Amino acid sequence: MKLQKKAWVMVGLTICLLTLSSVWVSQHAILSSFTELEARQSRVESERARRLLAQQLDGLSATVMDYAYWNDTADFVKGKRADHFTENFGTDNMKYLGLSQVLVLDPVGRPVASAELTPEPALRPMSPGMSQTLRSLAVPVLSDASSKTVVRTYHRVGSDLYLVAIAAVRSQFEPASAPKGALAAVRRFDERELTQFSDILMHPVRLKFPSAQEVARPVAERDDPGVLESAALILNGDGQPVAELVLELKRDLHREGHSLAFAAAFQVAVAGLVIGVLLVVLLDRLVLRRLQRVHRELGEIAAQGLGVEGRLSVSGKDELADLAQGINRLLAKTREDAEQQRQTHARQEALNHQLMQSQKTEAMGRFTSGIAHDFNNAIVAISGCIQLACEDLEAHHPSTSCLREALRSVRYADGLVKQLLSFSRQSPPHMDHLRLGALVEETSALVSLGLMKRCVLKVNLLAERDWVVADPTQMKQVIVNLVINACDAMSGQGTVSITLAEQDLPPADRGVAPEAVARLPAGRYLVLSVQDEGPGIAPEHLNRIFEPFFTTKAADKGTGLGLPIVQSVMTGHSGAVQVFSQRGAGACFRLYLPVAEAPVMSGLTGASARAATALGSR
């Protein structure tokens, strides 16, 4: 009961504080939003007024350029068309074009003709002050040798604002020639223009020439709280403020914002009271009783221990249900971690066993090396005795042919012993030029001594250019591993086919190269295939056959290191290994090695010389 009363008091105080806070926040947020909307509306309308005035200036500039680029205007400046100015800039035409004043200058900036439209309307010469102002503004136009400069600016004279456009006079057939003069046009922004602005913008607009302090306040409230003034600043060509277009905006958004803020505050207060009553009523039934049940069930699970599959009962779809599910997941995760620890310990024991098998394999290699050395010593003694016997007998003696046959057999045994020594010794890789076909034949003879059991080894050498740069010992180890795996896959009975062929990568007429060899550079490659007739590799094992210590053989028949060594050796030789398998149709391993150029025979040494000798024996 004590917890229940504390919960009721806490909920009541929380609801009161939240209600008051919500009322204040809602009022502040709504008023701030509407104030921002009002300011945004002011900026939009000011920008519309500024763009509208800029459009008028652009239209004036287009009119000036149309007249300035006529051939008749260029002839008038030169004194050839005396009536051109009066024909094109009469009272009706200037009124139609909206021009207040027009001035024509020669190439050095001297006035040629001018006209000013009076309110009557009538024409009179331009005032000297305005003429001097336009001449100073036309200096950039007359100084541009390409006649491309056009002056567009605003000019203030007293309480009047003028739109000014000046363009170079040039022939329309000589667009890049020097100016023949300049044509300046002025439009007075009067009350008629302000009336048009008000009609277009749908707000009252007036022109104002503010001081520097007033320019810094683009938005201001008038004495009338229902009207907001927004100023669009007008800048001349030098970026200096000239005047302002002042828009009078009605503050409808301001009034609507205050009304909405008070309505929202009242609704929030009522909602807070209703929510408080509901929470107090539902808190005991939906929260407190369920918490007590979770506490009781946790105590029972703690008393039974983690070994028992105890779980919290979950009901509902709220946070308390999520809490119960989270505790259940935590209990399951704890039990799972304990199981994983047991499995990890078992895997560690298996890895230790595999390591021992690898050490046994290494010891067997050393043991084989020692036996091969001793056997080689005996062969040397036998070979020497046979050669001495051959020297003591006459060439036509009946026993000479038998001794020579025995000597040939001894040399063959010596070659086999050397192969065993080369295969069993541990030495760093020694890359050399060698004939891969000859190496395959030598390794096949070595494997046929007893590793093949009752399997038949079939060798097909189809490559004409079989020179590669490789380590002969490592390549022999790769071939032996693949042949032994193939023989084991067939349980010691069947045919193992070794095929050596050439192939271009990427293939020219076979589509895209296999994924396993797609990373190899383009060029000519030797492809060594080892095919068996076994049951094939299971699809679930294809992605793991190159993992170290992964094997499907019995614990006493494989270490899982053969195929990882094959892949490592091929990668070190800039090649690749690819496997094909189909259940019931055997498996095929393909080794890709780049073809090398045949070395010069006189420079061959070591393994290359032995490979060339083996090729000659073939």
Coordinates of all heavy atoms in Angstrom, one line a residue, residues 346-417:
A346 N 35.6 -28.1 -26.6 CA 35.7 -29.2 -27.4 C 36.4 -28.9 -28.7 O 37.2 -29.7 -29.2 CB 34.3 -29.8 -27.7
R347 N 36.2 -27.8 -29.3 CA 36.9 -27.4 -30.5 C 38.4 -27.2 -30.3 O 39.2 -27.5 -31.1 CB 36.3 -26.1 -31.1 CG 34.9 -26.3 -31.8 CD 34.6 -25.1 -32.7 NE 34.5 -23.9 -31.9 CZ 33.3 -23.5 -31.4 NH1 32.2 -24.2 -31.6 NH2 33.3 -22.4 -30.7
Q348 N 38.7 -26.7 -29.1 CA 40.1 -26.5 -28.8 C 40.8 -27.8 -28.7 O 41.9 -28.0 -29.1 CB 40.2 -25.7 -27.4 CG 41.6 -25.4 -27.0 CD 42.3 -24.4 -28.0 OE1 41.6 -23.5 -28.6 NE2 43.6 -24.5 -28.2
E349 N 40.1 -28.8 -28.1 CA 40.7 -30.1 -28.0 C 40.9 -30.7 -29.4 O 41.9 -31.4 -29.7 CB 39.8 -31.0 -27.2 CG 39.7 -30.7 -25.7 CD 41.0 -30.9 -25.0 OE1 41.8 -31.8 -25.4 OE2 41.3 -30.1 -24.1
A350 N 39.9 -30.5 -30.3 CA 40.1 -31.0 -31.7 C 41.2 -30.3 -32.4 O 42.0 -30.9 -33.2 CB 38.7 -30.7 -32.5
L351 N 41.4 -29.0 -32.2 CA 42.5 -28.3 -32.8 C 43.9 -28.8 -32.3 O 44.8 -28.9 -33.1 CB 42.4 -26.8 -32.6 CG 41.3 -26.0 -33.3 CD1 41.2 -24.6 -32.9 CD2 41.5 -26.1 -34.8
N352 N 43.9 -29.1 -31.0 CA 45.2 -29.7 -30.5 C 45.5 -31.0 -31.1 O 46.6 -31.3 -31.4 CB 45.0 -29.8 -28.9 CG 45.0 -28.5 -28.2 OD1 45.5 -27.5 -28.8 ND2 44.4 -28.4 -27.1
H353 N 44.4 -31.8 -31.3 CA 44.6 -33.1 -32.0 C 45.1 -32.9 -33.4 O 46.0 -33.6 -33.9 CB 43.3 -33.9 -31.9 CG 43.3 -35.2 -32.6 ND1 44.0 -36.3 -32.1 CD2 42.8 -35.6 -33.8 CE1 43.9 -37.3 -32.9 NE2 43.2 -37.0 -34.0
Q354 N 44.5 -31.9 -34.1 CA 44.9 -31.7 -35.5 C 46.4 -31.2 -35.5 O 47.1 -31.5 -36.4 CB 44.0 -30.7 -36.1 CG 42.6 -31.2 -36.4 CD 41.7 -30.1 -36.8 OE1 42.0 -28.9 -36.8 NE2 40.5 -30.5 -37.2
L355 N 46.8 -30.4 -34.5 CA 48.1 -29.9 -34.5 C 49.1 -31.1 -34.3 O 50.2 -31.2 -34.9 CB 48.3 -28.9 -33.3 CG 49.7 -28.4 -33.1 CD1 50.2 -27.6 -34.4 CD2 49.7 -27.4 -31.9
M356 N 48.7 -32.0 -33.4 CA 49.5 -33.2 -33.2 C 49.6 -34.0 -34.5 O 50.7 -34.6 -34.8 CB 48.9 -34.1 -32.1 CG 48.9 -33.4 -30.7 SD 48.2 -34.5 -29.5 CE 49.2 -35.9 -29.5
Q357 N 48.5 -34.1 -35.3 CA 48.6 -34.8 -36.6 C 49.6 -34.1 -37.5 O 50.3 -34.8 -38.3 CB 47.2 -34.9 -37.2 CG 46.2 -35.8 -36.4 CD 46.7 -37.2 -36.3 OE1 47.3 -37.7 -37.3 NE2 46.4 -37.9 -35.2
S358 N 49.5 -32.8 -37.5 CA 50.5 -32.0 -38.4 C 51.9 -32.3 -38.0 O 52.8 -32.4 -38.8 CB 50.2 -30.5 -38.3 OG 48.8 -30.3 -38.7
Q359 N 52.2 -32.3 -36.7 CA 53.5 -32.6 -36.2 C 53.9 -34.0 -36.6 O 55.1 -34.3 -36.9 CB 53.6 -32.4 -34.7 CG 53.4 -30.9 -34.3 CD 53.4 -30.8 -32.8 OE1 53.2 -31.7 -32.1 NE2 53.5 -29.5 -32.3
K360 N 53.0 -35.0 -36.6 CA 53.3 -36.3 -37.0 C 53.7 -36.3 -38.5 O 54.6 -37.0 -38.9 CB 52.1 -37.2 -36.7 CG 51.9 -37.5 -35.3 CD 50.7 -38.5 -35.1 CE 50.4 -38.8 -33.7 NZ 49.2 -39.7 -33.5
T361 N 52.9 -35.5 -39.3 CA 53.2 -35.5 -40.7 C 54.6 -34.9 -40.9 O 55.4 -35.4 -41.8 CB 52.2 -34.6 -41.4 OG1 50.9 -35.1 -41.2 CG2 52.4 -34.6 -42.9
E362 N 55.0 -33.9 -40.2 CA 56.3 -33.3 -40.3 C 57.4 -34.3 -39.9 O 58.4 -34.4 -40.6 CB 56.4 -32.0 -39.5 CG 57.8 -31.3 -39.6 CD 57.9 -30.1 -38.7 OE1 56.9 -29.9 -38.0 OE2 58.9 -29.5 -38.7
A363 N 57.1 -35.0 -38.8 CA 58.1 -36.0 -38.4 C 58.2 -37.1 -39.4 O 59.3 -37.6 -39.7 CB 57.7 -36.6 -37.0
M364 N 57.1 -37.5 -40.1 CA 57.2 -38.5 -41.1 C 58.0 -38.1 -42.3 O 58.8 -38.9 -42.9 CB 55.8 -38.9 -41.5 CG 55.7 -40.0 -42.6 SD 56.4 -41.6 -42.0 CE 55.3 -42.0 -40.7
G365 N 57.9 -36.8 -42.6 CA 58.7 -36.3 -43.7 C 60.2 -36.3 -43.4 O 61.0 -36.7 -44.2
R366 N 60.6 -36.0 -42.2 CA 62.0 -36.1 -41.8 C 62.4 -37.6 -41.8 O 63.6 -37.9 -42.2 CB 62.2 -35.5 -40.4 CG 61.9 -34.0 -40.4 CD 62.2 -33.4 -39.0 NE 61.9 -31.9 -39.0 CZ 62.0 -31.2 -37.9 NH1 62.4 -31.7 -36.8 NH2 61.8 -29.9 -38.0
F367 N 61.6 -38.4 -41.3 CA 61.9 -39.8 -41.3 C 62.1 -40.4 -42.7 O 63.1 -41.1 -42.9 CB 60.8 -40.6 -40.6 CG 61.0 -42.1 -40.5 CD1 62.0 -42.6 -39.7 CD2 60.2 -43.0 -41.2 CE1 62.2 -44.0 -39.6 CE2 60.5 -44.3 -41.2 CZ 61.5 -44.9 -40.4
T368 N 61.2 -40.0 -43.6 CA 61.4 -40.4 -45.0 C 62.7 -39.9 -45.6 O 63.4 -40.5 -46.3 CB 60.2 -39.9 -45.8 OG1 59.0 -40.4 -45.2 CG2 60.3 -40.3 -47.3
S369 N 63.0 -38.6 -45.2 CA 64.3 -38.0 -45.7 C 65.5 -38.8 -45.2 O 66.4 -39.1 -46.0 CB 64.4 -36.6 -45.3 OG 65.6 -36.0 -45.7
G370 N 65.5 -39.2 -44.0 CA 66.6 -40.0 -43.4 C 66.7 -41.3 -44.1 O 67.8 -41.8 -44.5
I371 N 65.6 -42.0 -44.3 CA 65.7 -43.3 -45.0 C 66.2 -43.2 -46.4 O 67.0 -44.0 -46.9 CB 64.3 -44.0 -45.0 CG1 63.9 -44.4 -43.5 CG2 64.2 -45.2 -45.8 CD1 62.5 -45.0 -43.4
A372 N 65.7 -42.1 -47.1 CA 66.1 -41.9 -48.5 C 67.6 -41.6 -48.6 O 68.3 -42.1 -49.5 CB 65.3 -40.7 -49.1
H373 N 68.1 -40.9 -47.6 CA 69.6 -40.7 -47.6 C 70.4 -42.0 -47.5 O 71.3 -42.3 -48.2 CB 70.0 -39.7 -46.5 CG 69.8 -38.3 -46.9 ND1 70.6 -37.6 -47.8 CD2 68.9 -37.4 -46.5 CE1 70.2 -36.4 -47.9 NE2 69.2 -36.2 -47.1
D374 N 69.9 -42.8 -46.5 CA 70.6 -44.1 -46.3 C 70.5 -45.0 -47.6 O 71.4 -45.7 -48.0 CB 70.0 -44.8 -45.1 CG 70.3 -44.1 -43.8 OD1 71.3 -43.3 -43.8 OD2 69.6 -44.3 -42.8
F375 N 69.3 -45.0 -48.1 CA 69.0 -45.8 -49.3 C 69.9 -45.3 -50.5 O 70.4 -46.1 -51.3 CB 67.6 -45.8 -49.7 CG 67.2 -46.8 -50.7 CD1 67.2 -48.2 -50.5 CD2 66.8 -46.4 -52.0 CE1 66.9 -49.1 -51.5 CE2 66.4 -47.3 -53.0 CZ 66.5 -48.6 -52.7
N376 N 70.0 -44.0 -50.6 CA 70.8 -43.4 -51.6 C 72.3 -43.9 -51.5 O 73.0 -44.1 -52.5 CB 70.7 -41.9 -51.6 CG 71.4 -41.3 -52.8 OD1 71.1 -41.6 -53.9 ND2 72.4 -40.4 -52.5
N377 N 72.8 -43.9 -50.3 CA 74.2 -44.4 -50.1 C 74.4 -45.8 -50.6 O 75.4 -46.1 -51.2 CB 74.6 -44.3 -48.6 CG 74.6 -42.8 -48.1 OD1 74.8 -41.9 -48.9 ND2 74.4 -42.6 -46.8
A378 N 73.4 -46.7 -50.3 CA 73.5 -48.1 -50.8 C 73.5 -48.1 -52.3 O 74.2 -48.9 -52.9 CB 72.4 -48.9 -50.2
I379 N 72.6 -47.3 -52.9 CA 72.5 -47.3 -54.3 C 73.8 -46.8 -55.0 O 74.3 -47.3 -56.0 CB 71.4 -46.4 -54.8 CG1 70.0 -47.0 -54.4 CG2 71.4 -46.1 -56.3 CD1 68.8 -46.2 -54.8
V380 N 74.5 -45.8 -54.3 CA 75.8 -45.3 -54.9 C 76.8 -46.5 -54.8 O 77.6 -46.7 -55.8 CB 76.2 -44.1 -54.0 CG1 77.7 -43.8 -54.4 CG2 75.3 -42.9 -54.3
A381 N 76.8 -47.2 -53.7 CA 77.8 -48.3 -53.7 C 77.5 -49.4 -54.7 O 78.4 -49.9 -55.4 CB 77.7 -49.0 -52.3
I382 N 76.2 -49.7 -54.9 CA 75.8 -50.7 -55.9 C 76.2 -50.2 -57.3 O 76.8 -51.0 -58.1 CB 74.3 -51.1 -55.8 CG1 74.0 -51.7 -54.5 CG2 73.9 -52.0 -56.9 CD1 72.6 -51.9 -54.2
S383 N 75.9 -49.0 -57.6 CA 76.2 -48.4 -58.9 C 77.7 -48.4 -59.2 O 78.2 -48.8 -60.3 CB 75.7 -47.0 -59.0 OG 76.1 -46.4 -60.2
G384 N 78.5 -48.1 -58.2 CA 80.0 -48.2 -58.4 C 80.5 -49.6 -58.7 O 81.3 -49.8 -59.5
C385 N 80.0 -50.5 -57.9 CA 80.4 -51.9 -58.1 C 80.0 -52.4 -59.5 O 80.8 -53.1 -60.2 CB 79.8 -52.8 -57.1 SG 80.5 -52.5 -55.4
I386 N 78.9 -52.1 -60.0 CA 78.4 -52.5 -61.3 C 79.3 -51.8 -62.4 O 79.7 -52.5 -63.4 CB 76.9 -52.2 -61.5 CG1 76.1 -53.0 -60.6 CG2 76.5 -52.4 -63.0 CD1 74.6 -52.7 -60.7
Q387 N 79.6 -50.5 -62.2 CA 80.5 -49.9 -63.2 C 81.9 -50.5 -63.2 O 82.4 -50.7 -64.3 CB 80.5 -48.4 -62.9 CG 79.3 -47.6 -63.1 CD 79.4 -46.2 -62.8 OE1 80.4 -45.7 -62.3 NE2 78.3 -45.4 -63.1
L388 N 82.4 -50.9 -62.1 CA 83.7 -51.5 -62.1 C 83.7 -52.9 -62.7 O 84.6 -53.3 -63.5 CB 84.2 -51.7 -60.6 CG 84.6 -50.4 -59.9 CD1 84.9 -50.6 -58.4 CD2 85.7 -49.7 -60.6
A389 N 82.6 -53.6 -62.5 CA 82.4 -54.9 -63.1 C 82.3 -54.8 -64.7 O 82.9 -55.6 -65.4 CB 81.2 -55.7 -62.6
C390 N 81.7 -53.8 -65.1 CA 81.5 -53.5 -66.6 C 82.9 -53.2 -67.2 O 83.2 -53.6 -68.3 CB 80.5 -52.4 -66.8 SG 78.8 -52.9 -66.5
E391 N 83.7 -52.5 -66.4 CA 85.0 -52.1 -67.0 C 85.9 -53.3 -67.0 O 86.8 -53.4 -67.9 CB 85.7 -51.0 -66.1 CG 84.9 -49.7 -66.2 CD 85.6 -48.7 -65.2 OE1 86.5 -49.0 -64.5 OE2 85.1 -47.5 -65.2
D392 N 85.8 -54.4 -66.1 CA 86.6 -55.6 -66.1 C 86.3 -56.5 -67.2 O 87.1 -57.4 -67.7 CB 86.6 -56.2 -64.8 CG 87.2 -55.4 -63.7 OD1 88.0 -54.5 -64.0 OD2 86.9 -55.6 -62.5
L393 N 85.0 -56.5 -67.7 CA 84.6 -57.5 -68.7 C 84.8 -56.9 -70.1 O 84.7 -55.7 -70.3 CB 83.1 -57.8 -68.5 CG 82.8 -58.6 -67.1 CD1 81.3 -58.8 -67.0 CD2 83.5 -59.9 -67.1
E394 N 84.9 -57.8 -71.0 CA 85.0 -57.4 -72.4 C 83.6 -57.0 -72.9 O 82.6 -57.3 -72.3 CB 85.4 -58.6 -73.2 CG 86.9 -59.1 -72.9 CD 87.9 -58.1 -73.2 OE1 87.6 -57.2 -74.1 OE2 89.0 -58.1 -72.6
A395 N 83.6 -56.2 -73.9 CA 82.4 -55.6 -74.5 C 81.4 -56.7 -75.0 O 80.2 -56.6 -74.9 CB 82.7 -54.6 -75.6
H396 N 82.0 -57.8 -75.5 CA 81.2 -58.9 -76.0 C 80.9 -60.0 -75.0 O 80.3 -61.0 -75.3 CB 81.9 -59.5 -77.2 CG 83.3 -60.1 -76.9 ND1 84.4 -59.2 -76.8 CD2 83.6 -61.3 -76.5 CE1 85.4 -60.0 -76.5 NE2 85.0 -61.3 -76.3
H397 N 81.2 -59.7 -73.7 CA 81.0 -60.7 -72.7 C 79.5 -60.9 -72.5 O 78.7 -59.9 -72.5 CB 81.7 -60.3 -71.4 CG 81.7 -61.5 -70.4 ND1 80.7 -61.8 -69.6 CD2 82.8 -62.3 -70.1 CE1 81.0 -62.8 -68.8 NE2 82.3 -63.2 -69.1
P398 N 79.0 -62.1 -72.3 CA 77.5 -62.3 -72.1 C 76.9 -61.6 -70.9 O 75.7 -61.2 -71.0 CB 77.4 -63.8 -72.0 CG 78.6 -64.4 -72.6 CD 79.7 -63.4 -72.4
S399 N 77.7 -61.3 -69.9 CA 77.2 -60.7 -68.7 C 77.1 -59.1 -68.8 O 76.6 -58.5 -68.0 CB 78.0 -61.1 -67.5 OG 78.0 -62.4 -67.3
T400 N 77.8 -58.6 -69.9 CA 77.8 -57.1 -70.0 C 76.4 -56.5 -70.2 O 76.1 -55.5 -69.5 CB 78.7 -56.8 -71.2 OG1 80.0 -57.3 -71.0 CG2 78.8 -55.3 -71.3
S401 N 75.6 -57.1 -71.0 CA 74.2 -56.6 -71.2 C 73.4 -56.6 -69.9 O 72.6 -55.7 -69.6 CB 73.5 -57.3 -72.3 OG 73.4 -58.7 -72.0
C402 N 73.6 -57.7 -69.1 CA 72.9 -57.8 -67.9 C 73.3 -56.7 -66.9 O 72.5 -56.1 -66.2 CB 73.1 -59.2 -67.3 SG 72.4 -60.5 -68.3
L403 N 74.6 -56.5 -66.8 CA 75.1 -55.4 -65.9 C 74.6 -54.1 -66.3 O 74.3 -53.2 -65.5 CB 76.7 -55.5 -65.9 CG 77.3 -56.7 -65.3 CD1 78.8 -56.7 -65.4 CD2 76.9 -56.8 -63.8
R404 N 74.6 -53.8 -67.7 CA 74.1 -52.5 -68.1 C 72.6 -52.4 -67.7 O 72.2 -51.3 -67.4 CB 74.3 -52.4 -69.6 CG 75.8 -52.3 -70.0 CD 75.9 -52.2 -71.5 NE 77.3 -52.0 -71.9 CZ 77.8 -52.1 -73.2 NH1 76.9 -52.3 -74.2 NH2 79.1 -51.9 -73.4
E405 N 71.9 -53.4 -67.9 CA 70.4 -53.3 -67.5 C 70.3 -53.1 -66.0 O 69.5 -52.3 -65.5 CB 69.7 -54.6 -67.9 CG 68.2 -54.5 -67.7 CD 67.6 -53.6 -68.7 OE1 68.2 -53.3 -69.8 OE2 66.5 -53.0 -68.3
A406 N 71.2 -53.7 -65.2 CA 71.1 -53.5 -63.7 C 71.5 -52.1 -63.4 O 71.0 -51.4 -62.5 CB 72.1 -54.5 -63.1
L407 N 72.5 -51.5 -64.2 CA 73.0 -50.2 -63.9 C 71.8 -49.2 -64.3 O 71.6 -48.2 -63.6 CB 74.2 -49.9 -64.8 CG 74.8 -48.5 -64.6 CD1 75.3 -48.3 -63.1 CD2 76.0 -48.3 -65.5
R408 N 71.1 -49.5 -65.3 CA 70.0 -48.6 -65.7 C 68.9 -48.6 -64.6 O 68.3 -47.6 -64.3 CB 69.4 -49.1 -67.0 CG 68.3 -48.1 -67.6 CD 67.8 -48.6 -69.0 NE 68.9 -48.6 -69.9 CZ 69.4 -49.7 -70.4 NH1 69.0 -50.9 -70.0 NH2 70.4 -49.7 -71.3
S409 N 68.6 -49.8 -64.0 CA 67.7 -49.9 -63.0 C 68.1 -49.1 -61.7 O 67.4 -48.5 -61.0 CB 67.4 -51.4 -62.6 OG 66.9 -52.1 -63.7
V410 N 69.4 -49.2 -61.5 CA 70.0 -48.5 -60.3 C 69.8 -47.0 -60.5 O 69.5 -46.2 -59.6 CB 71.5 -48.9 -60.1 CG1 72.1 -47.9 -59.1 CG2 71.6 -50.3 -59.6
R411 N 70.1 -46.5 -61.7 CA 69.9 -45.1 -62.0 C 68.5 -44.7 -61.8 O 68.2 -43.6 -61.3 CB 70.4 -44.8 -63.4 CG 72.0 -44.9 -63.5 CD 72.4 -44.6 -64.9 NE 73.9 -44.7 -65.0 CZ 74.5 -44.6 -66.2 NH1 73.8 -44.6 -67.3 NH2 75.8 -44.7 -66.2
Y412 N 67.5 -45.5 -62.2 CA 66.1 -45.2 -62.1 C 65.8 -45.1 -60.6 O 65.1 -44.2 -60.1 CB 65.3 -46.3 -62.8 CG 63.8 -46.1 -62.6 CD1 63.1 -45.1 -63.3 CD2 63.1 -46.9 -61.7 CE1 61.8 -44.9 -63.1 CE2 61.7 -46.7 -61.5 CZ 61.1 -45.7 -62.2 OH 59.7 -45.6 -62.0
A413 N 66.3 -46.1 -59.8 CA 66.1 -46.1 -58.4 C 66.7 -44.8 -57.7 O 66.1 -44.2 -56.8 CB 66.6 -47.3 -57.7
D414 N 67.9 -44.4 -58.3 CA 68.5 -43.2 -57.8 C 67.6 -41.9 -58.0 O 67.5 -41.1 -57.2 CB 69.9 -43.0 -58.4 CG 70.6 -41.8 -57.9 OD1 70.9 -41.7 -56.7 OD2 70.8 -40.8 -58.8
G415 N 67.0 -41.9 -59.2 CA 66.1 -40.8 -59.5 C 64.9 -40.8 -58.6 O 64.5 -39.7 -58.1
L416 N 64.3 -42.0 -58.3 CA 63.2 -42.0 -57.4 C 63.6 -41.5 -56.0 O 62.9 -40.8 -55.3 CB 62.6 -43.4 -57.3 CG 62.0 -43.9 -58.6 CD1 61.5 -45.4 -58.4 CD2 60.9 -43.1 -59.1
V417 N 64.8 -41.9 -55.5 CA 65.3 -41.5 -54.2 C 65.4 -40.0 -54.2 O 65.1 -39.3 -53.2 CB 66.6 -42.2 -53.9 CG1 67.2 -41.6 -52.6 CG2 66.3 -43.7 -53.7

